[in-house]
Amino acid sequence: MFDIKTLRENFEETKTRLAKRGKDYQLERFESMDKRRRELMSESEQMKAKQNAASKRIPEMKKAGEDTASLMAEMKELSEAIKALEPKVREIDEEVEKFLMGIPNTPHETVPEGLDETQNVEVRKWGEPTAFSFEPKPHWDLGEGLGIFDPTTAVKITGSRFIMLRGNGARLQRALINFMLDRHTTHGYEEIMPPYIANRQSMIGTGQLPDKEEDMYHLSGTDYYLIPTAEVPLTNIHREEIIDGATLPVYYCAYTPSFRKEAGAAGRDTRGLIRVHQFDKVEVFKLARPENSYEELEKLTADAEDLLQKLGLPYRVVNLCAGDLGFSNSKTYDLEVWMPSYNRYVEISSCSNYEAFQSRRAGIRFKDGGGKPVFAHTLNGSGLAITRTIAAILENYQQQDGSIKIPQALIPYMGGVTELT
């Protein structure tokens, strides 16, 4: 949730920083609501002060033999007036909280200006786009030709934009999951196997709700949702906790399926594995001190890059512009892998620092010794999106006859299989 103190004390600066996102968040509404709240609170406090003064005066008057009837009547009126103000204060508090829930995170100062993905800034590249002596095929044709993709059966079982993998396709997915988890755990991440369903409060804590309600799969009759990413359960491990500062930074990684309606993506990348409603992902997550969180973001991004380098997949890193940032994100690096059939780079990972935005919503704090609790910074990234990694391997390692070479790093995880034919 957006920090109310920041909005009160740095209104114009906050307004300027949020404007970089390319949208008017009507912050003046907050000024109006906050002013009204302060007026109500001031009125209530003044009446309570009178009430306290009167309650002290009454015993003195009785002791002196004075008539207290009029003062008692005034006390009753004050009590009723204070009680009448309570629902008004409650109502304005709820309005302010709802408004703050709808305000996104402010972009970090190193985030480039821009309104959409065309204005993202390339930071670096690794490897050269794969060159072929023949016309490369898209991964969906390669997968079906090898008999490892079965979209027809997936549609029969569920519907469009679901995929079923068979044989060595399923084995390749399992190999990638194990390879990624093994790499991350050697880099100090604790492996977690979390629930794949989260409650509404968990979704609110990470910023999925209310911002992405239309993209979520809600379980009817409950406050449960299928998770859109392991970021949700990993972040909420420490919800409403005060952590010992000596334990920071905290590193977690997890494999989970992810479920997204992708409601706004109709007509885009609807073939193959790039944009589907259910996909697998290994996620990396960190809790960090505010003063170290951007150093931790660079390390987290490097851990995701390490996987692509070990797999020999050409990629680039881009710094997302303010207009392309996610709702909760303060800064994001996208890793984009080279896809020959698209003749361009395609996102395969997002590595983000949320600063204290999520921890404020989720109540995640830390303290050192007897110090005052401080909101931790949360970071997470895809390390990596499994289905997109399969697509990238098929397209970049394809041979003229339609067979696929297995990247060297995966051969031990494939039981020695070196080629899909």
Side-chain angles (χ1 to χ4, degrees), residues 88-138:
K88 294 180 181 179
V89 172
R90 220 166 25 244
E91 184 180 348
I92 197 71
D93 279 344
E94 289 171 1
E95 283 184 35
V96 169
E97 183 175 354
K98 184 178 179 181
F99 179 81
L100 292 175
M101 282 288 186
I103 302 298
N105 204 351
T106 50
H108 188 256
E109 59 187 12
T110 58
V111 169
E113 293 192 20
L115 299 179
D116 57 39
E117 61 185 14
T118 63
Q119 294 171 290
N120 294 339
V121 176
E122 184 179 291
V123 178
R124 57 185 170 271
K125 282 182 178 177
W126 186 89
E128 294 295 326
T130 311
F132 297 93
S133 60
F134 55 91
E135 184 67 29
K137 294 179 181 178

Side-chain angles (χ1 to χ4, degrees), residues 144-163:
E144 289 186 54
L146 290 165
I148 61 174
F149 287 5
D150 189 351
T152 303
T153 302
V155 169
K156 179 176 71 174
I157 294 170
T158 310
S160 63
R161 290 166 68 182
F162 285 85
I163 190 71

